[in-house]
Amino acid sequence: MAESSEQQQYPDLNPYSASNGQSNIGQNTTGQDTTGLNSNGSMQEKAQSAGNTIQAKAQNAMDTIANHPTVQNIQNGPVADKARQETTAVKNEFSNLAAARQQPDAKTATGQPLTHYHSLFYSLLSWENPRATAISYAALVLAIFACRYLPLVRYGLRLTWIVTGITAAAELAGRMAFNQGVASKLRPKKYYTIPRETLESSLEDLEQLINFFVIEFQRILFAENVYATVAAFATSLITYFLIKVTPAWGLALIGATVVYFVPLAYISNKEFIDGHLENAGQIVNQQTQQVRELASQHTSKAMEVSSQTLNQYSTKAKEMMGQAKGKAVDQGIVSQQTADKTEESLKQAPSAPADEPLSNPAGFQAEQSKAEPVAAQY
């Protein structure tokens, strides 16, 4: 009770007071005040120790999770092994696809070399690397649907005004508050430029791509491969009617599916399709031979008919000439001797030359001067 009645004594918190027994904390031997320095140092040490403690706890938690049996089973189990195998296979197939970009040894029918895109697209569409081809098809389909259902232009414009607005606001706020802009502070010492080698390689690659389409169009147009020409005809005919009822994105999706899966169907059933194509070629050749034989027969018959018709008209003409000569002699218009000479000269009249005319005009005139006019015989 006596202790409770007495006033409880509290320690003096004044750092400059000597009653708490720590008068030298706030002062040093030189009389300078080091309280703020000590307090700042202790706060930094506490913050650093707290950060180290949090980092250690987080690392321990991550190690605990990583060493948990469930996580270990997932990381080292069959699913993880299969995922790693598939990832490695995809990387290898894309590497093979990139290595396929080489100029092929085959040439066009005119002897011109092909582009390296011929090898690339052949490797891509022939499903030599199925994972890479499937991923490229899926990416193309997603791009078509994105262009169809996502307003990409609006998103691009929105991102542009957001970025430029934030940059302008930060720059103005920095100049007003700190007399130095934020964007100008982050500005690089030298702006990025595309190297000349990169531009030249890109332009060369673009040239190869354009020439690929140009060469293939001409090969189809001039029927270097008749099956490709027929396929292009069927595709353009079907597209001509589909474009009336199908939107552009639908045509693009159908075209991409046909381009990717028709070669796959052909490769999967190559023997069956080649057998039918060979049979179709034989039937076409037989029909062509029959048409040629029929045309030859009709031509020979037409020549026989025309020869007979010419002979008939020639006979009739001779008969008419004989009758006209007899009438002229009977009526006393010409004498019998003159009529005979005329008939004989007509029989001996030169026929049309079988050889080509002489290229020398002087020789032609010499030959013409040798010909005796018919009128001189009368």
Side-chain angles (χ1 to χ4, degrees):
M1 295 296 293
E3 293 180 358
S4 62
S5 62
E6 294 179 359
Q7 186 177 1
Q8 187 176 359
Q9 299 295 326
Y10 292 97
D12 189 2
L13 298 180
N14 186 4
Y16 302 102
S17 176
S19 60
N20 54 8
Q22 298 177 353
S23 60
N24 58 347
I25 297 177
Q27 296 178 354
N28 56 9
T29 56
T30 60
Q32 295 178 352
D33 187 6
T34 59
T35 305
L37 296 176
N38 293 334
S39 62
N40 291 335
S42 60
M43 289 178 63
Q44 290 179 358
E45 291 177 357
K46 290 180 180 180
Q48 185 176 2
S49 62
N52 293 333
T53 304
I54 294 173
Q55 184 178 2
K57 290 181 178 180
Q59 185 66 34
N60 292 332
M62 292 176 63
D63 293 339
T64 303
I65 295 173
N67 296 326
H68 196 273
T70 305
V71 177
Q72 291 292 328
N73 291 332
I74 294 175
Q75 291 180 352
N76 301 321
V79 177
D81 292 339
K82 184 65 175 178
R84 283 192 288 268
Q85 292 175 4
E86 290 296 327
T87 303
T88 304
V90 169
K91 291 180 180 179
N92 293 334
E93 289 189 2
F94 273 105
S95 299
N96 297 334
L97 188 62
R101 293 183 54 185
Q102 297 180 0
Q103 189 173 15
D105 297 332
K107 298 183 182 297
T108 63
T110 58
Q112 293 174 270
L114 300 176
T115 64
H116 61 255
Y117 274 102
H118 286 83
S119 300
L120 175 65
F121 286 129
Y122 178 81
S123 178
L124 179 67
L125 300 179
S126 62
W127 292 80
E128 293 180 353
N129 304 292
R131 295 176 181 82
T133 304
I135 291 173
S136 65
Y137 172 73
L140 182 59
V141 171
L142 290 176
I144 292 172
F145 279 107
C147 294
R148 169 63 181 86
Y149 292 104
L150 297 178
L152 299 179
V153 177
R154 290 182 56 193
Y155 286 167
L157 293 175
R158 184 177 181 180
L159 180 63
T160 302
W161 70 257
I162 288 175
V163 171
T164 53
I166 292 175
T167 303
E171 180 70 14
L172 294 176
R175 290 186 179 183
M176 293 175 62
F178 306 105
N179 198 20
Q180 185 177 9
V182 177
S184 59
K185 185 69 175 177
L186 299 175
R187 184 185 303 139
K189 296 181 179 180
K190 183 179 180 181
Y191 289 120
Y192 174 77
T193 57
I194 301 175
R196 181 177 180 179
E197 294 78 10
T198 305
L199 286 175
E200 290 179 352
S201 61
S202 301
L203 292 176
E204 183 179 358
D205 196 65
L206 180 61
E207 177 190 0
Q208 293 286 322
L209 180 61
I210 294 173
N211 285 331
F212 165 77
F213 289 106
V214 172
I215 291 174
E216 286 303 308
F217 174 76
Q218 294 177 90
R219 294 176 71 186
I220 291 173
L221 182 62
F222 296 106
E224 183 173 329
N225 186 351
V226 66
Y227 297 111
T229 305
V230 172
F233 160 74
T235 302
S236 59
L237 181 63
I238 295 172
T239 306
Y240 174 77
F241 291 102
L242 283 179
I243 200 171
K244 299 179 181 179
V245 295
T246 308
W249 69 272
L251 286 176
L253 183 61
I254 294 172
T257 304
V258 169
V259 168
Y260 272 86
F261 287 98
V262 166
L264 179 60
Y266 173 74
I267 293 171
S268 302
N269 305 278
K270 190 176 186 302
E271 296 180 357
F272 177 77
I273 295 174
D274 288 344
H276 281 281
L277 290 177
E278 185 178 358
N279 293 332
Q282 292 178 358
I283 293 173
V284 170
N285 291 332
Q286 292 175 1
Q287 293 295 329
T288 303
Q289 187 66 27
Q290 291 179 0
V291 170
R292 288 177 181 175
E293 293 177 356
L294 290 174
S296 177
Q297 293 176 1
H298 286 292
T299 303
S300 60
K301 289 181 180 180
M303 292 181 65
E304 290 177 1
V305 171
S306 61
S307 178
Q308 292 175 2
T309 304
L310 289 174
N311 291 333
Q312 291 177 0
Y313 280 108
S314 176
T315 303
K316 290 182 179 181
K318 290 180 180 180
E319 292 178 356
M320 292 177 64
M321 289 178 63
Q323 293 176 1
K325 184 186 72 172
K327 290 181 180 180
V329 172
D330 293 339
Q331 294 177 1
I333 298 174
V334 294
S335 63
Q336 183 67 35
Q337 185 178 3
T338 303
D340 293 338
K341 288 181 179 181
T342 304
E343 185 178 1
E344 188 68 22
S345 63
L346 290 174
K347 290 180 179 180
Q348 296 179 357
S351 59
D355 298 333
E356 295 182 359
L358 297 174
S359 59
N360 187 4
F364 176 74
Q365 292 178 0
E367 293 290 336
Q368 189 177 15
S369 62
K370 294 180 181 179
E372 185 178 354
V374 178
Q377 298 178 3
Y378 295 107

